[in-house]
């Protein structure tokens, strides 16, 4: 019939671009537009890549009629693949981390597929991680294919073909900046590459949650420690090869609280029924674009309906300390302000003898290592001791080979109660504000800060 689509996949894309008016502060000089990817048929930007991933597997001969799609997903790519599975008659198994919202798991089950839930708080290499379990299921299931959205070039390519040109047409080429959360990085890498080819002055800015290691890898080339956070769909505990760091001009950090409060504002004040990573992207865009006059497009990847039991549930928000009225233990900024000592750093070409002298003189057990502005990592007394005992380091050799990346990074706005999670896993937290390194925090600093608050 004229005007009818052959199937639901024809409804993917051509999502609205909507000006944000009321969440933008009065002194904001630029313009901010939201790309409503949550209006895609399965409810997210995942629809842009699902058909391309399946086409690729069919073309390579890995996927045969009646075969099974297997994917490790935070939920959205799964739902998008479920549409393709329905249209083309495939089975599917989705493997999700346990932080995925109950709404996402229920939606995947509604499409009639098996959903396997795995622990989030384990390393990606751990056999219990959702990535490892998905690999195992794909190996053990006859006719199954693992789509590997985090490493499949078909993912950014789909955004290069659809999201990029669509944004170019919708904005008439007037946009200056594209901002979005980084999950697989496919959206920004693909759409960003297309837009830069059309207009090289366009900037692409990624938003990464505090807890993810993507920010440090892109900015400093260092693989640091990831730690748990609540916002879904963005941030990683490994580096996806679908993320092309060359396309990114900058990465800004946001924490869970900022993401969720902004998400609620977007729904209530703009009428944009979007999810947590949309709030992350808008909060990040406002931070980055403050004081600039640029026209920014922000990606709003999925819908609020997937987070009714979380971001839009006051009990959940309060339990996690995300509501404004909660009394908190303060922030990293307050901890740093109460400290007497200035930041002490080392250089990677310092000798071990010199650094030990510095540690002794200042009574510190770890130092950040910086060469000019370039962060190299940290050196802790435990590592110094281990290397001296094993004979792998000598007092007069440089510290470069034993600098370590066993730290996490936080911002001055990170709450103290979150630091506890961070320091459970990492030796230290580095406080980073844009390009500046403001401090290093170890467990004893948090204990000292809390003790001073109690006795103050
Ligand atoms: N937000 C949400 C909610 C998502 O599901 C995703 C992708 N799974 C993203 C953001 C990030 O998109 P990309 O993977 O293209 O970086």
């Amino acid at each position: 019939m004229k005007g009818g689509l052959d199937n639901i996949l024809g409804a993917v894309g051509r999502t609205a671009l909507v000006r944000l008016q009321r969440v933008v502060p009065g002194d904001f000089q630029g313009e901010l537009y939201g790309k409503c990817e949550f209006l895609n048929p399965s409810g997210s930007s995942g629809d842009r890549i699902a058909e391309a991933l399946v086409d690729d597997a069919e073309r390579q001969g890995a996927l045969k009629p009646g075969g099974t799609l297997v994917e490790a997903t935070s939920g959205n790519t799964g739902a998008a693949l479920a549409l393709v599975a329905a249209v083309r008659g495939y089975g599917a198994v989705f493997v999700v981390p346990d932080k995925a919202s109950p709404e996402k798991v229920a939606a995947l089950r509604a499409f009639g597929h098996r959903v396997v839930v795995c622990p989030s708080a384990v390393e990606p290499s751990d056999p219990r991680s959702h990535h490892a379990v998905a690999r195992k299921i794909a190996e053990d299931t006859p006719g199954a294919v693992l789509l590997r959205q985090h490493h499949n070039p078909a993912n950014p390519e789909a955004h290069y073909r659809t999201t990029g040109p669509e944004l170019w047409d919708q904005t008439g080429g007037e946009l200056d900046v594209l901002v979005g959360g980084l999950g697989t990085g496919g959206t920004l890498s693909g759409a960003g590459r297309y837009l830069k080819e059309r207009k090289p002055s366009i900037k692409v800015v990624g938003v990464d949650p505090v807890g993810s290691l993507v920010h440090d890898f892109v900015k400093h080339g260092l693989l640091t420690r990831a730690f748990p956070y609540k916002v879904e769909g963005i941030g990683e505990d490994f580096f996806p090869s679908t993320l092309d760091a060359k396309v990114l001009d900058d990465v800004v950090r946001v924490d869970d609280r900022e993401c969720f409060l902004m998400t609620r504002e977007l729904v209530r004040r703009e009428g944009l029924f979007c999810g947590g990573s949309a709030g992350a992207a808008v909060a990040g865009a406002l931070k980055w674009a403050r004081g600039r006059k640029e026209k920014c497009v922000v990606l709003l990847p999925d819908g609020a309906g997937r987070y009714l039991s979380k971001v839009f549930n006051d009990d959940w928000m309060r339990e996690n300390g995300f509501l404004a009225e909660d009394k908190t233990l303060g922030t990293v900024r307050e901890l740093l302000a109460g400290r007497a000592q200035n930041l002490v750093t080392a250089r990677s070409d310092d000798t071990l003898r010199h650094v030990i002298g510095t540690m002794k003189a200042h009574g510190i057990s770890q130092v950040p290592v910086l060469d000019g502005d370039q962060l190299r990592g940290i050196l802790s007394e435990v590592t110094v001791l281990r290397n001296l005992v094993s004979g792998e380091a000598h007092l007069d050799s440089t510290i470069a080979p034993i600098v370590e990346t066993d730290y996490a990074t936080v911002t001055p706005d990170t709450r103290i109660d979150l630091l506890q999670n961070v320091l459970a896993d990492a030796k230290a937290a580095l406080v980073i504000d844009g390009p500046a390194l403001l401090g290093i925090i170890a467990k004893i600093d948090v204990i000292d800060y809390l003790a001073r608050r109690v006795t103050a």
Side-chain angles (χ1 to χ4, degrees):
M1 202 191 301
K2 192 167 167 288
L5 299 168
D6 283 347
N7 59 59
I8 189 65
L9 303 181
V12 174
R14 293 172 298 279
T15 57
L17 185 67
V18 177
R19 177 125 188 217
L20 305 187
Q21 305 270 13
R22 299 188 59 217
V23 299
V24 174
D27 60 352
F28 189 75
Q29 297 176 22
E31 288 173 26
L32 212 56
Y33 288 82
K35 176 76 170 152
C36 299
E37 289 293 280
F38 59 88
L39 296 176
N40 276 304
S42 83
S44 88
S45 55
D47 279 328
R48 303 254 185 198
I49 66 167
E51 197 176 8
L53 294 173
V54 174
D55 282 345
D56 184 62
E58 287 175 350
R59 224 175 3 248
Q60 294 189 19
L63 185 61
K64 299 274 187 325
T68 302
L69 314 177
V70 180
E71 187 59 333
T73 166
S74 70
N76 285 334
T77 304
L81 286 167
L83 297 193
V84 185
V87 168
R88 299 197 187 172
Y90 292 121
V93 181
F94 300 116
V95 189
V96 300
D98 56 10
K99 78 182 243 185
S101 70
E103 291 87 337
K104 283 184 184 161
V105 174
L108 293 176
R109 293 201 169 117
F111 282 106
H113 299 299
R114 189 174 147 213
V115 182
V116 180
V117 181
C118 298
S120 311
V122 295
E123 298 286 328
S125 55
D126 188 303
R128 293 165 298 169
S129 80
H130 72 303
H131 293 284
V133 171
R135 269 197 305 277
K136 181 87 175 76
I137 291 175
E139 278 163 22
D140 294 350
T141 311
V145 58
L146 183 66
L147 296 161
R148 301 178 80 243
Q149 56 170 330
H150 294 86
H151 298 290
N152 192 330
N155 163 2
E157 199 53 38
H159 289 287
Y160 180 87
R161 271 190 297 102
T162 72
T163 322
E166 211 176 292
L167 283 171
W168 182 257
D169 291 343
Q170 276 176 317
T171 59
E174 277 185 44
L175 87 161
D176 304 306
V177 190
L178 176 65
V179 187
L182 295 163
T184 66
T187 312
L188 284 192
S189 304
R193 182 161 64 88
Y194 178 87
L195 292 169
K196 286 185 166 200
E197 280 173 14
R198 298 299 300 258
K199 182 171 157 187
S201 64
I202 288 180
K203 295 197 178 61
V204 178
V205 178
V207 178
D208 191 44
V210 171
S212 156
L213 52 70
V214 173
H215 171 273
D216 297 272
F217 192 74
V218 174
K219 299 274 272 202
H220 308 295
L222 299 172
L223 266 183
T224 57
R225 279 279 189 159
F227 58 88
Y229 52 89
K230 302 280 183 195
V231 61
E232 295 175 43
I234 57 173
E236 297 293 351
D237 50 6
F238 65 98
F239 197 77
S241 60
T242 37
L243 200 171
D244 181 358
K246 288 191 301 301
V247 174
L248 297 177
D249 293 277
D250 207 351
V251 183
V252 263
R253 303 211 89 166
V254 289
D255 66 25
D256 279 336
R257 187 165 190 271
E258 291 174 274
C259 296
F260 297 146
L261 294 180
M262 178 54 79
T263 307
R264 289 163 76 114
E265 292 281 284
L266 286 168
V267 171
R268 292 171 187 185
R269 303 186 63 207
E270 303 279 357
L272 293 165
F273 200 58
C274 55
S277 71
V282 172
L286 288 174
K287 261 191 209 179
W288 190 85
R290 208 181 178 91
R292 306 182 197 234
K293 293 211 168 86
E294 277 139 333
K295 295 192 173 80
C296 307
V297 169
V298 188
L299 296 160
L300 311 178
D302 72 352
R306 300 214 158 137
Y307 307 99
L308 297 179
S309 67
K310 292 186 161 184
V311 185
F312 301 98
N313 174 340
D314 286 353
D315 291 338
W316 184 86
M317 287 288 282
R318 211 170 281 120
E319 273 158 30
N320 287 286
F322 297 140
L323 280 187
E325 69 259 28
D326 284 329
K327 273 205 233 95
T328 72
L329 296 172
T331 63
V332 164
R333 194 186 307 281
E334 289 155 55
L335 185 155
L336 289 184
R339 272 210 310 215
Q341 184 156 295
N342 287 335
L343 178 63
V344 178
T345 62
R347 291 180 51 88
S348 65
D349 57 3
D350 284 342
T351 61
L352 193 48
R353 189 187 301 278
H354 178 80
V355 178
I356 293 171
T358 309
M359 285 179 168
K360 255 172 67 184
H362 295 275
I364 52 180
S365 56
Q366 42 210 349
V367 280
V369 181
L370 283 167
D371 292 331
D373 290 342
Q374 184 61 50
L375 183 62
R376 301 285 181 212
I378 61 168
L379 187 61
S380 66
E381 70 187 357
V382 181
T383 303
V384 171
L385 183 63
R386 196 181 53 239
N387 281 278
L388 282 175
V389 169
S390 70
E392 277 165 53
H394 301 283
L395 285 173
D396 293 312
S397 48
T398 69
I399 61 168
I402 59 169
V403 172
E404 46 193 329
T405 53
D406 188 6
Y407 64 88
T409 57
V410 296
T411 72
D413 297 317
T414 302
R415 293 190 337 266
I416 298 297
D417 50 347
L418 188 66
L419 263 187
Q420 187 194 310
N421 295 345
V422 178
L423 292 173
D425 280 338
K427 272 198 190 124
L430 293 185
V431 188
I432 299 206
D433 194 12
L437 174 65
L438 300 185
I440 180 166
I441 300 176
K443 288 189 191 80
I444 189 66
D445 298 310
V446 183
I447 294 169
D448 182 42
Y449 167 80
L450 293 174
R452 272 188 285 120
R453 272 174 75 94
V454 173
T455 50

